[in-house]
Amino acid sequence: MAVRTPDPDPNERDDDGTPRDPLAGIGAGRSGHPLGDGSFGSPAPGNAANPGWLTDIELAEARRRLPILYVEAVPVRIDGMGQVTQIGVLLRATPLGEITRSIVSGRVRYGETVRDALFRHLENDLGPMAFPLLPPQPVPFTVAEYFPLPGVTAFHDDRQHAVSLAFVVPVTGTCEPRQDALEVTWMSPEEASSDALAAEMEGGRSTLVRQALASVGALR
């Protein structure tokens, strides 16, 4: 199954979910480019305050030519001894209307640290009350390479060549999924590494979950 790596909503949102448009009422972007005209370097409507954000046309062009950097996170619950007791797996709706299982994932923005990107996507997917515990210096348990042609690696994304830094992140709060994540299902390590779950996961991410479990000594 082709992976549909979720892309975050470029608009910041208020607490009620209403998109914020910091440049509402301004009709032009950079000099010589109307706002959102699709030319390279033209800000997308509502996102001109973030020059690192690409329009749809720019993103498609970049994906044809460059590897895109992502962060991915396997959320876990741990006991008092630091042992992993549960793994959080997202139920997600893709842009094509498919329902699949996945993990926290998204692009790293221009000028954004990996740590900040990781925290942002955890909050986007799990909600602001998830309270992820990020170490002072996040270190990925693996680097996953997604290719548009299946079979190059265990991971596949039909849109692009993506390089993903993958992390295991304990969460201590209440998870209330947002954006295209419909729910978080908490599973035991045995359930998370099962063939039944692997059949539901997109883009080879079942391999990533198993690698995450092995990295923390929870793979049985």
Side-chain angles (χ1 to χ4, degrees), residues 114-152:
V114 167
R115 180 187 178 86
D116 287 345
L118 189 58
F119 185 86
R120 176 169 59 85
H121 288 297
L122 284 162
E123 185 176 79
N124 283 346
D125 282 348
L126 302 182
M129 303 302 291
F131 300 140
L133 300 178
L134 297 182
Q137 183 62 42
V139 176
F141 66 84
T142 193
V143 176
E145 295 181 89
Y146 293 83
F147 285 90
L149 295 177
V152 179

PDB file of all heavy atoms in Angstrom, residues 114-152:
ATOM      1  N   VAL A 114      14.978  19.818  14.444  1.00  0.00           N
ATOM      2  CA  VAL A 114      14.335  18.504  14.468  1.00  0.00           C
ATOM      3  C   VAL A 114      13.500  18.354  15.732  1.00  0.00           C
ATOM      4  O   VAL A 114      12.380  17.812  15.704  1.00  0.00           O
ATOM      5  CB  VAL A 114      15.402  17.394  14.369  1.00  0.00           C
ATOM      6  CG1 VAL A 114      14.800  16.026  14.701  1.00  0.00           C
ATOM      7  CG2 VAL A 114      16.011  17.362  12.969  1.00  0.00           C
ATOM      8  N   ARG A 115      14.023  18.840  16.852  1.00  0.00           N
ATOM      9  CA  ARG A 115      13.281  18.768  18.108  1.00  0.00           C
ATOM     10  C   ARG A 115      11.946  19.515  18.012  1.00  0.00           C
ATOM     11  O   ARG A 115      10.900  19.000  18.437  1.00  0.00           O
ATOM     12  CB  ARG A 115      14.142  19.338  19.241  1.00  0.00           C
ATOM     13  CG  ARG A 115      13.463  19.319  20.604  1.00  0.00           C
ATOM     14  CD  ARG A 115      14.309  20.054  21.641  1.00  0.00           C
ATOM     15  NE  ARG A 115      13.648  20.070  22.918  1.00  0.00           N
ATOM     16  CZ  ARG A 115      13.741  19.097  23.818  1.00  0.00           C
ATOM     17  NH1 ARG A 115      14.484  18.038  23.558  1.00  0.00           N
ATOM     18  NH2 ARG A 115      13.103  19.165  24.966  1.00  0.00           N
ATOM     19  N   ASP A 116      11.981  20.731  17.463  1.00  0.00           N
ATOM     20  CA  ASP A 116      10.753  21.508  17.339  1.00  0.00           C
ATOM     21  C   ASP A 116       9.768  20.844  16.379  1.00  0.00           C
ATOM     22  O   ASP A 116       8.550  20.850  16.616  1.00  0.00           O
ATOM     23  CB  ASP A 116      11.068  22.924  16.851  1.00  0.00           C
ATOM     24  CG  ASP A 116      11.714  23.786  17.933  1.00  0.00           C
ATOM     25  OD1 ASP A 116      11.659  23.380  19.116  1.00  0.00           O
ATOM     26  OD2 ASP A 116      12.291  24.843  17.591  1.00  0.00           O
ATOM     27  N   ALA A 117      10.279  20.299  15.292  1.00  0.00           N
ATOM     28  CA  ALA A 117       9.402  19.610  14.338  1.00  0.00           C
ATOM     29  C   ALA A 117       8.747  18.396  14.990  1.00  0.00           C
ATOM     30  O   ALA A 117       7.554  18.133  14.802  1.00  0.00           O
ATOM     31  CB  ALA A 117      10.198  19.180  13.109  1.00  0.00           C
ATOM     32  N   LEU A 118       9.525  17.656  15.762  1.00  0.00           N
ATOM     33  CA  LEU A 118       9.001  16.473  16.433  1.00  0.00           C
ATOM     34  C   LEU A 118       7.891  16.859  17.409  1.00  0.00           C
ATOM     35  O   LEU A 118       6.813  16.245  17.427  1.00  0.00           O
ATOM     36  CB  LEU A 118      10.145  15.764  17.157  1.00  0.00           C
ATOM     37  CG  LEU A 118       9.870  14.389  17.767  1.00  0.00           C
ATOM     38  CD1 LEU A 118       9.387  13.417  16.714  1.00  0.00           C
ATOM     39  CD2 LEU A 118      11.138  13.865  18.444  1.00  0.00           C
ATOM     40  N   PHE A 119       8.141  17.884  18.205  1.00  0.00           N
ATOM     41  CA  PHE A 119       7.124  18.323  19.167  1.00  0.00           C
ATOM     42  C   PHE A 119       5.872  18.821  18.446  1.00  0.00           C
ATOM     43  O   PHE A 119       4.741  18.533  18.858  1.00  0.00           O
ATOM     44  CB  PHE A 119       7.698  19.420  20.066  1.00  0.00           C
ATOM     45  CG  PHE A 119       6.750  19.844  21.156  1.00  0.00           C
ATOM     46  CD1 PHE A 119       6.708  19.157  22.361  1.00  0.00           C
ATOM     47  CD2 PHE A 119       5.899  20.930  20.975  1.00  0.00           C
ATOM     48  CE1 PHE A 119       5.827  19.542  23.362  1.00  0.00           C
ATOM     49  CE2 PHE A 119       5.023  21.315  21.972  1.00  0.00           C
ATOM     50  CZ  PHE A 119       4.981  20.618  23.166  1.00  0.00           C
ATOM     51  N   ARG A 120       6.066  19.577  17.372  1.00  0.00           N
ATOM     52  CA  ARG A 120       4.924  20.121  16.628  1.00  0.00           C
ATOM     53  C   ARG A 120       4.025  19.021  16.082  1.00  0.00           C
ATOM     54  O   ARG A 120       2.793  19.082  16.196  1.00  0.00           O
ATOM     55  CB  ARG A 120       5.436  21.024  15.494  1.00  0.00           C
ATOM     56  CG  ARG A 120       4.345  21.569  14.582  1.00  0.00           C
ATOM     57  CD  ARG A 120       4.905  22.649  13.666  1.00  0.00           C
ATOM     58  NE  ARG A 120       5.992  22.168  12.842  1.00  0.00           N
ATOM     59  CZ  ARG A 120       5.838  21.543  11.677  1.00  0.00           C
ATOM     60  NH1 ARG A 120       4.613  21.310  11.211  1.00  0.00           N
ATOM     61  NH2 ARG A 120       6.882  21.153  10.971  1.00  0.00           N
ATOM     62  N   HIS A 121       4.627  17.996  15.493  1.00  0.00           N
ATOM     63  CA  HIS A 121       3.815  16.929  14.909  1.00  0.00           C
ATOM     64  C   HIS A 121       3.173  16.046  15.978  1.00  0.00           C
ATOM     65  O   HIS A 121       2.058  15.542  15.780  1.00  0.00           O
ATOM     66  CB  HIS A 121       4.665  16.098  13.951  1.00  0.00           C
ATOM     67  CG  HIS A 121       5.002  16.824  12.689  1.00  0.00           C
ATOM     68  ND1 HIS A 121       4.044  17.244  11.791  1.00  0.00           N
ATOM     69  CD2 HIS A 121       6.196  17.235  12.171  1.00  0.00           C
ATOM     70  CE1 HIS A 121       4.616  17.872  10.781  1.00  0.00           C
ATOM     71  NE2 HIS A 121       5.916  17.881  10.996  1.00  0.00           N
ATOM     72  N   LEU A 122       3.846  15.862  17.102  1.00  0.00           N
ATOM     73  CA  LEU A 122       3.220  15.129  18.200  1.00  0.00           C
ATOM     74  C   LEU A 122       1.988  15.872  18.704  1.00  0.00           C
ATOM     75  O   LEU A 122       0.934  15.270  18.946  1.00  0.00           O
ATOM     76  CB  LEU A 122       4.221  14.928  19.342  1.00  0.00           C
ATOM     77  CG  LEU A 122       5.281  13.851  19.107  1.00  0.00           C
ATOM     78  CD1 LEU A 122       6.458  14.037  20.058  1.00  0.00           C
ATOM     79  CD2 LEU A 122       4.677  12.459  19.287  1.00  0.00           C
ATOM     80  N   GLU A 123       2.107  17.188  18.838  1.00  0.00           N
ATOM     81  CA  GLU A 123       0.961  17.978  19.279  1.00  0.00           C
ATOM     82  C   GLU A 123      -0.133  18.002  18.225  1.00  0.00           C
ATOM     83  O   GLU A 123      -1.322  17.923  18.537  1.00  0.00           O
ATOM     84  CB  GLU A 123       1.407  19.397  19.615  1.00  0.00           C
ATOM     85  CG  GLU A 123       0.289  20.250  20.205  1.00  0.00           C
ATOM     86  CD  GLU A 123       0.767  21.622  20.627  1.00  0.00           C
ATOM     87  OE1 GLU A 123       0.912  22.490  19.735  1.00  0.00           O
ATOM     88  OE2 GLU A 123       1.000  21.821  21.825  1.00  0.00           O
ATOM     89  N   ASN A 124       0.253  18.114  16.946  1.00  0.00           N
ATOM     90  CA  ASN A 124      -0.746  18.127  15.872  1.00  0.00           C
ATOM     91  C   ASN A 124      -1.550  16.835  15.836  1.00  0.00           C
ATOM     92  O   ASN A 124      -2.771  16.850  15.654  1.00  0.00           O
ATOM     93  CB  ASN A 124      -0.068  18.329  14.517  1.00  0.00           C
ATOM     94  CG  ASN A 124       0.338  19.767  14.279  1.00  0.00           C
ATOM     95  OD1 ASN A 124      -0.098  20.670  14.974  1.00  0.00           O
ATOM     96  ND2 ASN A 124       1.204  19.974  13.296  1.00  0.00           N
ATOM     97  N   ASP A 125      -0.885  15.704  15.976  1.00  0.00           N
ATOM     98  CA  ASP A 125      -1.550  14.414  15.828  1.00  0.00           C
ATOM     99  C   ASP A 125      -2.190  13.908  17.121  1.00  0.00           C
ATOM    100  O   ASP A 125      -3.228  13.241  17.078  1.00  0.00           O
ATOM    101  CB  ASP A 125      -0.564  13.355  15.319  1.00  0.00           C
ATOM    102  CG  ASP A 125      -0.298  13.475  13.827  1.00  0.00           C
ATOM    103  OD1 ASP A 125      -1.040  14.211  13.150  1.00  0.00           O
ATOM    104  OD2 ASP A 125       0.640  12.836  13.335  1.00  0.00           O
ATOM    105  N   LEU A 126      -1.576  14.191  18.262  1.00  0.00           N
ATOM    106  CA  LEU A 126      -2.052  13.627  19.523  1.00  0.00           C
ATOM    107  C   LEU A 126      -2.808  14.637  20.387  1.00  0.00           C
ATOM    108  O   LEU A 126      -3.404  14.261  21.386  1.00  0.00           O
ATOM    109  CB  LEU A 126      -0.876  13.062  20.331  1.00  0.00           C
ATOM    110  CG  LEU A 126      -0.042  11.991  19.636  1.00  0.00           C
ATOM    111  CD1 LEU A 126       1.054  11.503  20.571  1.00  0.00           C
ATOM    112  CD2 LEU A 126      -0.904  10.823  19.164  1.00  0.00           C
ATOM    113  N   GLY A 127      -2.748  15.912  20.036  1.00  0.00           N
ATOM    114  CA  GLY A 127      -3.423  16.933  20.818  1.00  0.00           C
ATOM    115  C   GLY A 127      -2.486  17.612  21.807  1.00  0.00           C
ATOM    116  O   GLY A 127      -1.435  17.072  22.164  1.00  0.00           O
ATOM    117  N   PRO A 128      -2.869  18.789  22.290  1.00  0.00           N
ATOM    118  CA  PRO A 128      -1.983  19.574  23.153  1.00  0.00           C
ATOM    119  C   PRO A 128      -1.812  19.007  24.556  1.00  0.00           C
ATOM    120  O   PRO A 128      -0.942  19.449  25.302  1.00  0.00           O
ATOM    121  CB  PRO A 128      -2.676  20.944  23.198  1.00  0.00           C
ATOM    122  CG  PRO A 128      -4.121  20.644  22.944  1.00  0.00           C
ATOM    123  CD  PRO A 128      -4.133  19.488  21.991  1.00  0.00           C
ATOM    124  N   MET A 129      -2.660  18.036  24.947  1.00  0.00           N
ATOM    125  CA  MET A 129      -2.581  17.476  26.294  1.00  0.00           C
ATOM    126  C   MET A 129      -1.857  16.133  26.327  1.00  0.00           C
ATOM    127  O   MET A 129      -1.892  15.432  27.342  1.00  0.00           O
ATOM    128  CB  MET A 129      -3.992  17.311  26.873  1.00  0.00           C
ATOM    129  CG  MET A 129      -4.802  18.594  26.905  1.00  0.00           C
ATOM    130  SD  MET A 129      -3.995  19.905  27.852  1.00  0.00           S
ATOM    131  CE  MET A 129      -4.126  19.227  29.505  1.00  0.00           C
ATOM    132  N   ALA A 130      -1.178  15.772  25.250  1.00  0.00           N
ATOM    133  CA  ALA A 130      -0.463  14.491  25.224  1.00  0.00           C
ATOM    134  C   ALA A 130       0.778  14.513  26.111  1.00  0.00           C
ATOM    135  O   ALA A 130       1.187  13.474  26.635  1.00  0.00           O
ATOM    136  CB  ALA A 130      -0.072  14.134  23.789  1.00  0.00           C
ATOM    137  N   PHE A 131       1.408  15.671  26.258  1.00  0.00           N
ATOM    138  CA  PHE A 131       2.590  15.858  27.091  1.00  0.00           C
ATOM    139  C   PHE A 131       3.713  14.863  26.748  1.00  0.00           C
ATOM    140  O   PHE A 131       4.072  14.012  27.552  1.00  0.00           O
ATOM    141  CB  PHE A 131       2.241  15.756  28.569  1.00  0.00           C
ATOM    142  CG  PHE A 131       1.247  16.779  29.029  1.00  0.00           C
ATOM    143  CD1 PHE A 131       0.244  16.432  29.921  1.00  0.00           C
ATOM    144  CD2 PHE A 131       1.292  18.090  28.563  1.00  0.00           C
ATOM    145  CE1 PHE A 131      -0.685  17.378  30.351  1.00  0.00           C
ATOM    146  CE2 PHE A 131       0.367  19.043  28.997  1.00  0.00           C
ATOM    147  CZ  PHE A 131      -0.631  18.683  29.889  1.00  0.00           C
ATOM    148  N   PRO A 132       4.261  14.962  25.534  1.00  0.00           N
ATOM    149  CA  PRO A 132       5.374  14.084  25.155  1.00  0.00           C
ATOM    150  C   PRO A 132       6.629  14.424  25.937  1.00  0.00           C
ATOM    151  O   PRO A 132       6.876  15.596  26.260  1.00  0.00           O
ATOM    152  CB  PRO A 132       5.559  14.370  23.659  1.00  0.00           C
ATOM    153  CG  PRO A 132       5.030  15.759  23.473  1.00  0.00           C
ATOM    154  CD  PRO A 132       3.893  15.904  24.449  1.00  0.00           C
ATOM    155  N   LEU A 133       7.416  13.410  26.256  1.00  0.00           N
ATOM    156  CA  LEU A 133       8.664  13.588  26.987  1.00  0.00           C
ATOM    157  C   LEU A 133       9.818  13.501  26.001  1.00  0.00           C
ATOM    158  O   LEU A 133      10.281  12.404  25.655  1.00  0.00           O
ATOM    159  CB  LEU A 133       8.806  12.519  28.077  1.00  0.00           C
ATOM    160  CG  LEU A 133       7.709  12.491  29.149  1.00  0.00           C
ATOM    161  CD1 LEU A 133       7.965  11.349  30.127  1.00  0.00           C
ATOM    162  CD2 LEU A 133       7.641  13.829  29.883  1.00  0.00           C
ATOM    163  N   LEU A 134      10.293  14.654  25.538  1.00  0.00           N
ATOM    164  CA  LEU A 134      11.417  14.682  24.609  1.00  0.00           C
ATOM    165  C   LEU A 134      12.716  14.817  25.391  1.00  0.00           C
ATOM    166  O   LEU A 134      12.811  15.657  26.290  1.00  0.00           O
ATOM    167  CB  LEU A 134      11.282  15.850  23.639  1.00  0.00           C
ATOM    168  CG  LEU A 134      10.069  15.835  22.702  1.00  0.00           C
ATOM    169  CD1 LEU A 134      10.109  17.040  21.786  1.00  0.00           C
ATOM    170  CD2 LEU A 134      10.026  14.560  21.901  1.00  0.00           C
ATOM    171  N   PRO A 135      13.716  14.019  25.061  1.00  0.00           N
ATOM    172  CA  PRO A 135      15.004  14.153  25.747  1.00  0.00           C
ATOM    173  C   PRO A 135      15.691  15.457  25.358  1.00  0.00           C
ATOM    174  O   PRO A 135      15.342  16.075  24.340  1.00  0.00           O
ATOM    175  CB  PRO A 135      15.794  12.940  25.250  1.00  0.00           C
ATOM    176  CG  PRO A 135      15.194  12.622  23.919  1.00  0.00           C
ATOM    177  CD  PRO A 135      13.735  12.963  24.038  1.00  0.00           C
ATOM    178  N   PRO A 136      16.679  15.908  26.142  1.00  0.00           N
ATOM    179  CA  PRO A 136      17.378  17.157  25.800  1.00  0.00           C
ATOM    180  C   PRO A 136      17.995  17.137  24.409  1.00  0.00           C
ATOM    181  O   PRO A 136      18.025  18.151  23.722  1.00  0.00           O
ATOM    182  CB  PRO A 136      18.460  17.264  26.887  1.00  0.00           C
ATOM    183  CG  PRO A 136      17.922  16.478  28.033  1.00  0.00           C
ATOM    184  CD  PRO A 136      17.138  15.355  27.424  1.00  0.00           C
ATOM    185  N   GLN A 137      18.465  15.960  23.993  1.00  0.00           N
ATOM    186  CA  GLN A 137      19.047  15.823  22.658  1.00  0.00           C
ATOM    187  C   GLN A 137      18.422  14.611  21.976  1.00  0.00           C
ATOM    188  O   GLN A 137      18.885  13.495  22.147  1.00  0.00           O
ATOM    189  CB  GLN A 137      20.564  15.645  22.749  1.00  0.00           C
ATOM    190  CG  GLN A 137      21.266  15.556  21.394  1.00  0.00           C
ATOM    191  CD  GLN A 137      21.089  16.822  20.577  1.00  0.00           C
ATOM    192  OE1 GLN A 137      21.172  17.920  21.094  1.00  0.00           O
ATOM    193  NE2 GLN A 137      20.832  16.675  19.296  1.00  0.00           N
ATOM    194  N   PRO A 138      17.336  14.814  21.212  1.00  0.00           N
ATOM    195  CA  PRO A 138      16.670  13.678  20.571  1.00  0.00           C
ATOM    196  C   PRO A 138      17.604  12.954  19.595  1.00  0.00           C
ATOM    197  O   PRO A 138      18.271  13.588  18.774  1.00  0.00           O
ATOM    198  CB  PRO A 138      15.491  14.316  19.826  1.00  0.00           C
ATOM    199  CG  PRO A 138      15.291  15.641  20.485  1.00  0.00           C
ATOM    200  CD  PRO A 138      16.647  16.087  20.925  1.00  0.00           C
ATOM    201  N   VAL A 139      17.636  11.634  19.701  1.00  0.00           N
ATOM    202  CA  VAL A 139      18.450  10.805  18.806  1.00  0.00           C
ATOM    203  C   VAL A 139      17.523   9.761  18.178  1.00  0.00           C
ATOM    204  O   VAL A 139      16.859   9.010  18.910  1.00  0.00           O
ATOM    205  CB  VAL A 139      19.593  10.110  19.558  1.00  0.00           C
ATOM    206  CG1 VAL A 139      20.361   9.186  18.618  1.00  0.00           C
ATOM    207  CG2 VAL A 139      20.530  11.142  20.181  1.00  0.00           C
ATOM    208  N   PRO A 140      17.428   9.687  16.855  1.00  0.00           N
ATOM    209  CA  PRO A 140      16.528   8.710  16.237  1.00  0.00           C
ATOM    210  C   PRO A 140      17.012   7.284  16.449  1.00  0.00           C
ATOM    211  O   PRO A 140      18.214   7.032  16.522  1.00  0.00           O
ATOM    212  CB  PRO A 140      16.568   9.093  14.754  1.00  0.00           C
ATOM    213  CG  PRO A 140      17.880   9.784  14.560  1.00  0.00           C
ATOM    214  CD  PRO A 140      18.161  10.500  15.853  1.00  0.00           C
ATOM    215  N   PHE A 141      16.052   6.363  16.539  1.00  0.00           N
ATOM    216  CA  PHE A 141      16.444   4.952  16.653  1.00  0.00           C
ATOM    217  C   PHE A 141      16.773   4.377  15.285  1.00  0.00           C
ATOM    218  O   PHE A 141      17.459   3.363  15.177  1.00  0.00           O
ATOM    219  CB  PHE A 141      15.351   4.125  17.345  1.00  0.00           C
ATOM    220  CG  PHE A 141      14.049   4.009  16.580  1.00  0.00           C
ATOM    221  CD1 PHE A 141      13.881   3.056  15.589  1.00  0.00           C
ATOM    222  CD2 PHE A 141      12.990   4.848  16.886  1.00  0.00           C
ATOM    223  CE1 PHE A 141      12.681   2.950  14.896  1.00  0.00           C
ATOM    224  CE2 PHE A 141      11.787   4.744  16.201  1.00  0.00           C
ATOM    225  CZ  PHE A 141      11.629   3.802  15.207  1.00  0.00           C
ATOM    226  N   THR A 142      16.332   5.042  14.220  1.00  0.00           N
ATOM    227  CA  THR A 142      16.701   4.627  12.866  1.00  0.00           C
ATOM    228  C   THR A 142      16.407   5.769  11.898  1.00  0.00           C
ATOM    229  O   THR A 142      15.721   6.737  12.243  1.00  0.00           O
ATOM    230  CB  THR A 142      15.936   3.362  12.418  1.00  0.00           C
ATOM    231  OG1 THR A 142      16.544   2.828  11.231  1.00  0.00           O
ATOM    232  CG2 THR A 142      14.471   3.675  12.116  1.00  0.00           C
ATOM    233  N   VAL A 143      16.952   5.663  10.706  1.00  0.00           N
ATOM    234  CA  VAL A 143      16.643   6.579   9.607  1.00  0.00           C
ATOM    235  C   VAL A 143      15.960   5.749   8.522  1.00  0.00           C
ATOM    236  O   VAL A 143      16.546   4.805   7.989  1.00  0.00           O
ATOM    237  CB  VAL A 143      17.915   7.247   9.046  1.00  0.00           C
ATOM    238  CG1 VAL A 143      17.567   8.123   7.841  1.00  0.00           C
ATOM    239  CG2 VAL A 143      18.612   8.066  10.129  1.00  0.00           C
ATOM    240  N   ALA A 144      14.724   6.087   8.230  1.00  0.00           N
ATOM    241  CA  ALA A 144      13.947   5.356   7.233  1.00  0.00           C
ATOM    242  C   ALA A 144      13.967   6.119   5.920  1.00  0.00           C
ATOM    243  O   ALA A 144      13.793   7.338   5.900  1.00  0.00           O
ATOM    244  CB  ALA A 144      12.514   5.169   7.710  1.00  0.00           C
ATOM    245  N   GLU A 145      14.174   5.403   4.833  1.00  0.00           N
ATOM    246  CA  GLU A 145      14.199   6.012   3.506  1.00  0.00           C
ATOM    247  C   GLU A 145      13.016   5.503   2.690  1.00  0.00           C
ATOM    248  O   GLU A 145      12.903   4.315   2.419  1.00  0.00           O
ATOM    249  CB  GLU A 145      15.507   5.679   2.793  1.00  0.00           C
ATOM    250  CG  GLU A 145      16.740   6.263   3.468  1.00  0.00           C
ATOM    251  CD  GLU A 145      18.005   5.936   2.710  1.00  0.00           C
ATOM    252  OE1 GLU A 145      18.382   6.708   1.821  1.00  0.00           O
ATOM    253  OE2 GLU A 145      18.608   4.882   2.999  1.00  0.00           O
ATOM    254  N   TYR A 146      12.143   6.430   2.326  1.00  0.00           N
ATOM    255  CA  TYR A 146      10.963   6.113   1.515  1.00  0.00           C
ATOM    256  C   TYR A 146      11.255   6.467   0.059  1.00  0.00           C
ATOM    257  O   TYR A 146      11.716   7.565  -0.245  1.00  0.00           O
ATOM    258  CB  TYR A 146       9.758   6.917   1.990  1.00  0.00           C
ATOM    259  CG  TYR A 146       9.258   6.555   3.367  1.00  0.00           C
ATOM    260  CD1 TYR A 146       9.850   7.097   4.510  1.00  0.00           C
ATOM    261  CD2 TYR A 146       8.193   5.679   3.532  1.00  0.00           C
ATOM    262  CE1 TYR A 146       9.388   6.772   5.779  1.00  0.00           C
ATOM    263  CE2 TYR A 146       7.720   5.346   4.794  1.00  0.00           C
ATOM    264  CZ  TYR A 146       8.327   5.893   5.915  1.00  0.00           C
ATOM    265  OH  TYR A 146       7.867   5.569   7.169  1.00  0.00           O
ATOM    266  N   PHE A 147      10.953   5.528  -0.839  1.00  0.00           N
ATOM    267  CA  PHE A 147      11.172   5.757  -2.267  1.00  0.00           C
ATOM    268  C   PHE A 147       9.854   5.620  -3.022  1.00  0.00           C
ATOM    269  O   PHE A 147       8.969   4.848  -2.616  1.00  0.00           O
ATOM    270  CB  PHE A 147      12.179   4.740  -2.817  1.00  0.00           C
ATOM    271  CG  PHE A 147      13.600   5.026  -2.411  1.00  0.00           C
ATOM    272  CD1 PHE A 147      14.130   4.491  -1.243  1.00  0.00           C
ATOM    273  CD2 PHE A 147      14.418   5.838  -3.187  1.00  0.00           C
ATOM    274  CE1 PHE A 147      15.432   4.759  -0.855  1.00  0.00           C
ATOM    275  CE2 PHE A 147      15.717   6.111  -2.812  1.00  0.00           C
ATOM    276  CZ  PHE A 147      16.228   5.566  -1.646  1.00  0.00           C
ATOM    277  N   PRO A 148       9.717   6.339  -4.149  1.00  0.00           N
ATOM    278  CA  PRO A 148       8.487   6.206  -4.932  1.00  0.00           C
ATOM    279  C   PRO A 148       8.362   4.858  -5.633  1.00  0.00           C
ATOM    280  O   PRO A 148       7.254   4.436  -5.956  1.00  0.00           O
ATOM    281  CB  PRO A 148       8.585   7.358  -5.939  1.00  0.00           C
ATOM    282  CG  PRO A 148      10.037   7.697  -6.011  1.00  0.00           C
ATOM    283  CD  PRO A 148      10.605   7.400  -4.664  1.00  0.00           C
ATOM    284  N   LEU A 149       9.488   4.192  -5.868  1.00  0.00           N
ATOM    285  CA  LEU A 149       9.450   2.867  -6.478  1.00  0.00           C
ATOM    286  C   LEU A 149       9.517   1.820  -5.381  1.00  0.00           C
ATOM    287  O   LEU A 149      10.467   1.795  -4.589  1.00  0.00           O
ATOM    288  CB  LEU A 149      10.619   2.680  -7.449  1.00  0.00           C
ATOM    289  CG  LEU A 149      10.631   3.584  -8.676  1.00  0.00           C
ATOM    290  CD1 LEU A 149      11.883   3.344  -9.507  1.00  0.00           C
ATOM    291  CD2 LEU A 149       9.383   3.352  -9.519  1.00  0.00           C
ATOM    292  N   PRO A 150       8.524   0.935  -5.277  1.00  0.00           N
ATOM    293  CA  PRO A 150       8.547  -0.072  -4.220  1.00  0.00           C
ATOM    294  C   PRO A 150       9.687  -1.059  -4.406  1.00  0.00           C
ATOM    295  O   PRO A 150      10.141  -1.313  -5.527  1.00  0.00           O
ATOM    296  CB  PRO A 150       7.181  -0.768  -4.355  1.00  0.00           C
ATOM    297  CG  PRO A 150       6.699  -0.440  -5.725  1.00  0.00           C
ATOM    298  CD  PRO A 150       7.325   0.855  -6.119  1.00  0.00           C
ATOM    299  N   GLY A 151      10.191  -1.585  -3.297  1.00  0.00           N
ATOM    300  CA  GLY A 151      11.220  -2.612  -3.348  1.00  0.00           C
ATOM    301  C   GLY A 151      12.627  -2.113  -3.120  1.00  0.00           C
ATOM    302  O   GLY A 151      13.531  -2.921  -2.885  1.00  0.00           O
ATOM    303  N   VAL A 152      12.856  -0.794  -3.172  1.00  0.00           N
ATOM    304  CA  VAL A 152      14.205  -0.265  -2.932  1.00  0.00           C
ATOM    305  C   VAL A 152      14.573  -0.457  -1.470  1.00  0.00           C
ATOM    306  O   VAL A 152      15.674  -0.879  -1.133  1.00  0.00           O
ATOM    307  CB  VAL A 152      14.298   1.220  -3.336  1.00  0.00           C
ATOM    308  CG1 VAL A 152      15.701   1.766  -3.069  1.00  0.00           C
ATOM    309  CG2 VAL A 152      13.938   1.397  -4.803  1.00  0.00           C
TER     310      VAL A 152
END
